[in-house]
Amino acid sequence: MANDGPILVTGAAGQRGAVGRNVTGLLLERGLPVRAMVRREDDRATALRAAGAEVVVGDLLEPADVFRVVSGCRRVYFGMSVSAGYLEASVTMAAVAREIGVEALVNMSQMTVSQMTIQNTTPSPQQRQHWLSEQALAWSGLPVVTIRPTVFLEGFFLPVTGPSVRARSRIELPFGRGKTSPVSTADVARVIAAVLADPGPHLDRIYELTGPRSQDLDGVAREYSDALKREVTYLDIPPEDWERGLKKAGFSEHLTHHLVTMAELNRAGRYDRMTDGVERLTGRPAMSVREFVSLHADEFGGHKGE
Ligand SMILES: NC(=O)c1ccc[n+]([C@@H]2O[C@H](COP(=O)([O-])OP(=O)(O)OC[C@H]3O[C@@H](n4cnc5c(N)ncnc54)[C@H](OP(=O)(O)O)[C@@H]3O)[C@@H](O)[C@H]2O)c1
């Protein structure tokens, strides 16, 4: 590895529980050199540097920046926040990675892509862009490993259900009776770090990642209750109310459209998926909802009596 240069991790600063930040930490723990790409110099960049990463600042929508950060790296994790420019960033990364000649590009995607065809995409602009990005990467001929996780515990359930569980001990979502199997980004990152550490056996593979159980939101609420030792219930709210709330909270049109589609797919049972990808790739079972809520109990309002 020493002669191969650092492993590039994009989106390395990350929002709460972000994949890139976790992957950076795990690779450093393995003693592997990491170039962590961030969008700006801030406390998160300082923390990455303190942890031992080489921090580079750049914009994934600027080809010259992407060329600069990929140069000298043989392995790349590509992921960034859900945003309108995702496809452009993916294709830019593909063009640069081809020019430089990387030996592995690990691409973050979404599990919904597994159910998509030309005749049957989804209305979510983000999901369509992931589908198109996967197509473009396949045409590129690059050595790609595709990661398709289902919904994140850190990136969705914690921020979206945290406030109502804290205030009213209620999960309020328009998910109907649909089942879901959320996965922790800590597990997703463990899979990605394992792939980046030794990409050879994984090239051209697609890894679908879920949590250990697919259940409806009453089942999810029971796991919250067990973890918090107080009763948490699920309220199936009207989709229109949820959409109004997202807009009021200032979510971008792109993200709102994506989340509204996610809810629609949940109601239609399209998130009822189960895989053993996490355990197969890392040797450890995926984290359950109960374990996750226990770990973050304070942010869900704490245990009964606290
Ligand atoms: N959330 C879910 O439930 C879920 C489920 C399955 C798959 N996914 C996929 O996971 C990915 C998101 O992963 P994540 O939650 O780990 O990411 P994240 O924390 O939302 O974002 C990672 C970083 O991307 C950076 N970024 C955004 N635009 C950029 C640009 N133009 N140039 C450089 N950096 C940029 C952001 O920088 P700043 O922080 O400085 O803005 C952010 O820190 C997406 O591909 C999403 O579709 C998400």
Side-chain angles (χ1 to χ4, degrees), residues 25-71:
L26 291 167
L27 292 174
L28 291 171
E29 272 172 29
R30 286 172 180 251
L32 295 167
V34 179
R35 181 176 295 170
M37 182 186 184
V38 299
R39 197 151 42 161
R40 55 182 154 262
E41 276 294 349
D42 59 15
D43 291 354
R44 299 171 304 171
T46 306
L48 287 164
R49 210 171 269 120
E54 172 198 354
V55 176
V56 289
V57 179
D59 184 345
L60 285 163
L61 291 165
E62 279 298 331
D65 284 7
V66 180
F67 187 80
R68 173 173 48 82
V69 302
V70 178
S71 292

